Amino acid sequence: MINLGLIGCGTVGSGVIKLLNENKDIITKRVGQPLFLKKVIDKDRVKCLALGITEEQMAASVDEIINDSEIDIIIELIGGTETAYQIITAAMRAGKNIVTANKDLIALRGKELFDLAESNKVDIYFEASVAGGIPVVFPLKQSLSANNIKEVIGILNGTTNYILTKMSSEGLPLDQVLKEAQELGYAEANPESDVEGLDAARKIAILSAIAFNSRVSLNQVYVEGIMSIATEDINNAKALGYVIKLLAIAKENENREIEVRVHPAFIPYDHPLASVHNVNNAIYIKGDAVGEVMLYGHGAGQMPTASAVLGDVIEISRNILHNAINRIGCTCFDEKTVIDISQLKSEYYIRMTVLDRPGVLAGIAGVFGNNRVSIATVLQQVSRGSLAELILITHTVKESDLRDSLLILKDMSIVSEINNVIRVENSK
Amino acid sequence: MINLGLIGCGTVGSGVIKLLNENKDIITKRVGQPLFLKKVIDKDRVKCLALGITEEQMAASVDEIINDSEIDIIIELIGGTETAYQIITAAMRAGKNIVTANKDLIALRGKELFDLAESNKVDIYFEASVAGGIPVVFPLKQSLSANNIKEVIGILNGTTNYILTKMSSEGLPLDQVLKEAQELGYAEANPESDVEGLDAARKIAILSAIAFNSRVSLNQVYVEGIMSIATEDINNAKALGYVIKLLAIAKENENREIEVRVHPAFIPYDHPLASVHNVNNAIYIKGDAVGEVMLYGHGAGQMPTASAVLGDVIEISRNILHNAINRIGCTCFDEKTVIDISQLKSEYYIRMTVLDRPGVLAGIAGVFGNNRVSIATVLQQVSRGSLAELILITHTVKESDLRDSLLILKDMSIVSEINNVIRVENSK
């Protein structure tokens, strides 16, 4: 028998309780022994009891769980970075294995926690912290582990993918779609962490650390959200053969430096990620041997996340039963430089409003040319009175050069406004 | 140091040798110790030597590898079911762990080999036997192991997916596309195992056994190939909002019986599998907790397959280093009935040529009605002289009822020909 302690009876916690009950038989057979939920705690006792947890299972304190010598694995599902950190570190020091869905904490202090796990000879697993029920942490550490991973590109936030999908399929403006998404429960009342890209940033920090065997901390991730995306951008993307997605991108270059960034991007309509719609998530991985692989599914939700949590619990249980804790070492054995976004080389889509008169395009092209920004496509849209909308796609250029050009252009009298700049993700 | 023995210097074998060399550093770090290719054998010695294998590494016989007490893992890459069976069973009896890409053998005698591995306390891993480099065996056994798997639907054969993609995108007939595929090396000179569905059948036999924890032998898989697919069927599918794919389908019903079948099928154009194009493979999995997950990538090829082989080698190496062999038990602890295709309940597309005169449709509908086959959609196409092409889609009906109807219709004077019958996979 493997004894579990559960901290948190919220959405995912109650999913874990439900799944442990409903799939008891198959889980027992797959582990070889039954899993028993010995102790549970939550600020809200009543919530746990309503889920069928008995008075006997209810712990009086977190310490009671940590100090219970019969408990093998503690499942942390309270989220946040302060209390959860205290609990997890104390539990690991007490010899407990950890399963967590806490992306904030792993993105912030992953390396420290993995080191602590190793020195205390316990496992800390966190498949549920990225992309809900989609297996991705394990595949990177196991099936794909003979590869040098070259890039990981994720659609890692369901809310923003839903919003962009609806904007594209129904031609609606962002604020209207966001409001509908909030009404449907697909977006939080305070959607900031989603629409500003921070949620996706945490997840790509975790995935890039695994993929590139290096520590990547959240503040090294460049982040832009989707709030600037207008219906015009969606339509222009379509006209040019692209789809706009909020991508979380991690790549290693030939100097073994890595770039980690979250921002809206044009992606060719025939790229596997382009057909990931609505609240679905996907992770596209390129390895030097395997080529391209994509893992797709529900990136959030009670039961998908519970599925990932219990997948980890089952794996640690197998390790316990075979005395094989720390079987998979920390993948953070390298120290790679994370390059600044100004050093990025990319193609860019630029939508700007300019004076509608002869010579303007030449003037603009001149500024780009002087700053080493070469233009691939020019799409001049219909004029609006004395103004015209100008759509450009650049060749691959350095972001700092593009920014220099735009700073100059912004102050020129022939340029009324630089409406939007969106990176084009063309690598395939 | 983990010592390896390699049997077979063919396409995949040479990929394994190449990957072991090129990614030596990262593999060593991920395992914690170096992997050393101690002995290699192939009928064609020269081929191995050309790959950089030294005379010292060349074994004089398979027995030399099996009896080498320093070798921990034997990689079997010769394929076929006779010699490979002899080698693998002898090696396991001698205490060697096995990694194989041999789908024929695993589909045919998997259960027996897994039992033998358990009783000899060795591991036999076979990720490379299904869908090349795409992680699927591991995810089913690990990350998704808290789920009751409800269905697995795969596009598991690259050749046929390439043919169907080209037929659809370019409107070309099958024989022409097949010829081109052969010229491009996407299809074998003798393409029978691919186009007749047998290759996909082996893979779905392996996957369904894992997904449903039961033995599924190859002869329990119902198989139909793609040779009957005409340009008209491709066009009709499109007009009705579907795509035709060769699907390998495994499902468990509410009575815990399973169905395992390979055949061309209509699939809605917005199903995740519908956008899997060309030689790519994908596996769509539905679990009771995780919902839908899809794993996508290159399903064959030298380096993707070598990636899967070495992923397995790395995992077994970790087991060896932690004395945790047999950590994941055999998943064949249940015995489920595989139902006969006649008991299948499905929707069907039927294309038939009938007399073009009043009352014919009523006559045909009457036969279907008398046999409990209810029609959902009728699409009468343009007439051809005295004949007309009739396209029908049924509601969900029993296959035996459909077959009874067709037997009667075939002999009726108003029916000139039943051109094609294709199952419609509408579950999502």
Side-chain angles (χ1 to χ4, degrees):
Chain A
M1 170 125 73
I2 302 289
N3 286 305
L4 313 177
L6 172 65
I7 302 177
C9 289
T11 305
V12 179
S14 57
V16 167
I17 294 170
K18 192 175 158 213
L19 194 52
L20 272 173
N21 285 332
E22 286 181 359
N23 289 2
K24 192 178 181 164
D25 283 357
I26 201 153
I27 291 172
T28 303
K29 282 180 184 158
R30 284 178 179 157
V31 172
Q33 289 203 17
L35 304 185
F36 176 62
L37 194 51
K38 195 176 177 214
K39 292 279 176 198
V40 179
I41 196 165
D42 192 288
K43 282 179 297 187
D44 185 349
R45 282 175 58 84
V46 179
K47 200 157 60 177
C48 302
L49 294 169
L51 295 163
I53 299 300
T54 63
E55 284 288 353
E56 207 187 344
Q57 285 172 294
M58 289 301 307
S61 68
V62 170
D63 283 346
E64 185 187 329
I65 298 181
I66 292 177
N67 296 324
D68 186 328
S69 63
E70 290 184 345
I71 286 181
D72 305 291
I73 303 171
I74 293 181
I75 305 169
E76 180 276 308
L77 297 173
I78 56 169
T81 54
E82 293 303 322
T83 313
Y85 174 79
Q86 299 302 334
I87 292 174
I88 288 176
T89 51
M92 289 200 293
R93 288 202 182 91
K96 303 304 183 203
N97 300 288
I98 305 291
V99 173
T100 178
N102 194 325
K103 58 178 177 285
D104 304 44
L105 183 59
I106 298 291
L108 199 68
R109 309 181 83 157
K111 173 85 164 71
E112 179 191 342
L113 295 175
F114 307 149
D115 287 346
L116 190 65
E118 210 165 317
S119 62
N120 284 284
K121 300 206 185 329
V122 297
D123 278 332
I124 177 166
Y125 281 19
F126 51 93
E127 180 69 81
S129 67
V130 182
I134 306 173
V136 56
V137 172
F138 261 112
L140 280 172
K141 290 189 172 188
Q142 301 188 312
S143 304
L144 303 176
S145 57
N147 287 261
N148 278 298
I149 301 296
K150 294 300 174 188
E151 63 181 63
V152 176
I153 308 184
I155 293 177
L156 297 176
N157 180 269
T159 304
T160 47
N161 202 48
Y162 175 84
I163 292 171
L164 292 171
T165 302
K166 283 283 157 189
M167 286 178 74
S168 178
S169 62
E170 294 175 17
L172 300 172
L174 195 145
D175 47 2
Q176 185 180 336
V177 178
L178 174 57
K179 204 163 151 268
E180 283 176 17
Q182 286 170 320
E183 285 162 11
L184 287 165
Y186 289 159
E188 309 267 347
N190 178 357
E192 201 182 304
S193 155
D194 293 319
V195 298
E196 300 295 350
L198 202 63
D199 174 74
R202 292 191 183 103
K203 294 168 182 168
I204 196 69
I206 297 172
L207 289 183
S208 56
I210 301 167
F212 304 126
N213 318 296
S214 182
R215 182 177 177 171
V216 177
S217 66
L218 185 56
N219 58 20
Q220 293 174 299
V221 183
Y222 174 81
V223 190
E224 262 176 46
I226 63 163
M227 293 307 290
S228 73
I229 304 296
T231 316
E232 289 93 323
D233 301 316
I234 301 270
N235 293 340
N236 291 334
K238 260 190 217 174
L240 293 159
Y242 293 92
V243 180
I244 299 181
K245 294 287 184 190
L246 181 68
L247 298 185
I249 300 174
K251 294 187 185 180
E252 182 173 312
N253 67 23
E254 58 283 1
N255 303 322
R256 307 194 69 227
E257 299 161 330
I258 54 181
E259 52 183 62
V260 191
R261 49 196 166 99
V262 171
H263 52 73
F266 277 39
I267 192 159
Y269 79 96
D270 60 351
H271 190 286
L273 286 167
S275 43
V276 175
H277 302 305
N278 299 314
V279 295
N280 291 304
N281 282 18
I283 303 100
Y284 172 89
I285 299 167
K286 229 186 217 171
D288 60 353
V290 78
E292 49 173 20
V293 163
M294 190 173 84
L295 312 166
Y296 163 100
H298 296 306
Q302 182 184 46
M303 297 316 288
T305 311
S307 161
V309 167
L310 285 184
D312 278 355
V313 169
I314 290 171
E315 270 298 283
I316 295 184
S317 299
R318 288 167 173 161
N319 288 348
I320 292 171
L321 294 172
H322 287 86
N323 290 311
I325 291 298
N326 289 158
R327 205 182 60 90
I328 302 178
C330 177
T331 52
C332 33
F333 44 74
D334 275 346
E335 275 195 43
K336 290 177 184 168
T337 306
V338 179
I339 64 168
D340 188 78
I341 190 74
S342 63
Q343 303 307 303
L344 176 68
K345 283 172 188 148
S346 177
E347 297 171 37
Y348 297 83
Y349 152 94
I350 304 158
R351 175 166 62 90
M352 54 204 293
T353 309
V354 298
L355 293 193
D356 192 9
R357 68 176 196 218
V360 165
L361 185 58
I364 291 167
V367 173
F368 280 125
N370 291 339
N371 288 280
R372 293 166 300 275
V373 172
S374 134
I375 304 298
T377 311
V378 178
L379 203 85
Q380 186 144 17
Q381 304 283 87
V382 281
S383 60
R384 296 172 183 166
S386 60
L387 298 175
E389 196 173 64
L390 185 65
I391 313 294
L392 304 170
I393 303 251
T394 71
H395 283 296
T396 298
V397 303
K398 206 165 152 188
E399 175 128 347
S400 57
D401 289 336
L402 182 85
R403 291 189 180 198
D404 290 346
S405 317
L406 295 174
L407 273 179
I408 296 168
L409 287 167
K410 226 168 64 178
D411 287 338
M412 286 170 74
S413 60
I414 54 172
V415 175
S416 160
E417 196 185 344
I418 292 166
N419 305 82
N420 212 350
V421 179
I422 302 175
R423 293 174 194 81
V424 179
E425 184 56 38
N426 246 336
S427 79
K428 209 194 147 178
Chain B
M1 170 124 73
I2 302 288
N3 286 307
L4 313 177
L6 171 64
I7 301 177
C9 289
T11 306
V12 179
S14 57
V16 167
I17 294 170
K18 192 175 158 214
L19 194 52
L20 272 173
N21 284 332
E22 285 180 0
N23 289 2
K24 190 176 183 166
D25 283 357
I26 202 154
I27 291 172
T28 302
K29 284 179 183 159
R30 285 179 177 155
V31 172
Q33 288 202 16
L35 304 185
F36 176 63
L37 194 51
K38 193 173 179 218
K39 292 279 175 198
V40 179
I41 196 166
D42 192 285
K43 279 179 299 185
D44 185 350
R45 281 173 59 83
V46 179
K47 199 157 61 177
C48 304
L49 294 169
L51 296 162
I53 299 299
T54 62
E55 284 289 352
E56 206 187 345
Q57 285 172 294
M58 290 301 306
S61 69
V62 170
D63 282 347
E64 185 187 329
I65 299 181
I66 293 176
N67 296 325
D68 185 328
S69 63
E70 291 183 345
I71 287 181
D72 305 290
I73 304 170
I74 292 180
I75 305 168
E76 179 276 306
L77 297 173
I78 55 168
T81 54
E82 293 303 320
T83 313
Y85 173 80
Q86 300 301 336
I87 292 173
I88 288 177
T89 50
M92 291 201 292
R93 288 203 181 90
K96 303 303 183 203
N97 300 287
I98 304 291
V99 173
T100 178
N102 193 327
K103 58 179 177 287
D104 303 42
L105 182 59
I106 298 291
L108 198 69
R109 309 180 84 154
K111 174 85 165 70
E112 178 190 344
L113 295 175
F114 308 149
D115 287 345
L116 190 65
E118 212 166 316
S119 62
N120 284 284
K121 300 204 184 330
V122 297
D123 279 332
I124 176 167
Y125 282 19
F126 52 93
E127 181 68 82
S129 67
V130 182
I134 306 172
V136 56
V137 172
F138 262 112
L140 280 171
K141 291 189 172 190
Q142 301 188 313
S143 304
L144 303 175
S145 57
N147 288 262
N148 278 298
I149 302 296
K150 293 300 175 187
E151 62 182 63
V152 175
I153 308 185
I155 293 176
L156 297 176
N157 181 269
T159 304
T160 47
N161 202 48
Y162 174 84
I163 291 171
L164 293 170
T165 302
K166 284 284 156 188
M167 285 178 75
S168 178
S169 63
E170 296 176 15
L172 300 171
L174 196 145
D175 47 2
Q176 186 181 337
V177 178
L178 174 57
K179 204 162 151 266
E180 283 175 18
Q182 286 170 320
E183 284 161 12
L184 288 165
Y186 290 159
E188 310 266 350
N190 178 357
E192 199 182 305
S193 154
D194 293 320
V195 298
E196 299 295 348
L198 203 62
D199 173 74
R202 292 190 182 103
K203 295 168 181 167
I204 196 69
I206 296 173
L207 289 182
S208 56
I210 301 168
F212 304 126
N213 316 296
S214 182
R215 183 177 178 171
V216 177
S217 65
L218 185 57
N219 58 19
Q220 292 174 299
V221 184
Y222 174 82
V223 190
E224 261 177 46
I226 64 163
M227 292 308 289
S228 73
I229 304 296
T231 317
E232 290 92 323
D233 301 315
I234 300 272
N235 294 340
N236 291 332
K238 263 190 213 173
L240 292 159
Y242 294 92
V243 180
I244 300 181
K245 295 285 185 191
L246 181 69
L247 298 183
I249 301 174
K251 294 187 185 180
E252 182 174 313
N253 68 21
E254 57 282 1
N255 303 322
R256 309 193 67 227
E257 298 161 330
I258 55 183
E259 52 183 62
V260 191
R261 50 197 166 99
V262 171
H263 53 72
F266 276 41
I267 191 158
Y269 78 97
D270 60 351
H271 190 286
L273 285 168
S275 43
V276 175
H277 302 306
N278 299 315
V279 293
N280 290 303
N281 282 20
I283 304 100
Y284 171 89
I285 299 167
K286 230 188 217 168
D288 60 354
V290 78
E292 50 173 21
V293 163
M294 190 173 83
L295 313 166
Y296 163 99
H298 296 306
Q302 181 184 45
M303 297 316 288
T305 310
S307 162
V309 167
L310 284 183
D312 278 355
V313 169
I314 290 171
E315 271 298 284
I316 294 184
S317 299
R318 289 167 171 160
N319 288 348
I320 292 171
L321 294 172
H322 287 85
N323 290 310
I325 290 298
N326 289 158
R327 205 182 60 89
I328 302 177
C330 177
T331 52
C332 33
F333 43 75
D334 274 347
E335 275 196 41
K336 291 178 183 167
T337 305
V338 179
I339 63 169
D340 188 78
I341 191 72
S342 63
Q343 303 307 302
L344 176 68
K345 283 172 189 151
S346 177
E347 298 171 37
Y348 297 82
Y349 153 93
I350 304 157
R351 175 165 64 90
M352 53 205 292
T353 309
V354 299
L355 293 192
D356 191 10
R357 66 173 196 220
V360 166
L361 184 57
I364 290 168
V367 173
F368 281 125
N370 290 339
N371 287 279
R372 292 166 300 277
V373 172
S374 133
I375 304 298
T377 311
V378 178
L379 202 88
Q380 186 142 19
Q381 305 281 86
V382 280
S383 59
R384 296 172 183 165
S386 61
L387 297 175
E389 195 173 63
L390 185 65
I391 313 295
L392 304 170
I393 302 253
T394 71
H395 283 295
T396 299
V397 302
K398 206 164 151 189
E399 175 128 346
S400 57
D401 288 337
L402 182 85
R403 291 189 180 197
D404 290 346
S405 317
L406 295 174
L407 272 179
I408 296 167
L409 286 167
K410 227 169 62 178
D411 287 338
M412 286 171 73
S413 60
I414 53 174
V415 175
S416 158
E417 195 184 347
I418 292 167
N419 305 81
N420 213 349
V421 179
I422 303 176
R423 294 173 193 81
V424 179
E425 185 55 39
N426 246 335
S427 79
K428 208 196 147 177

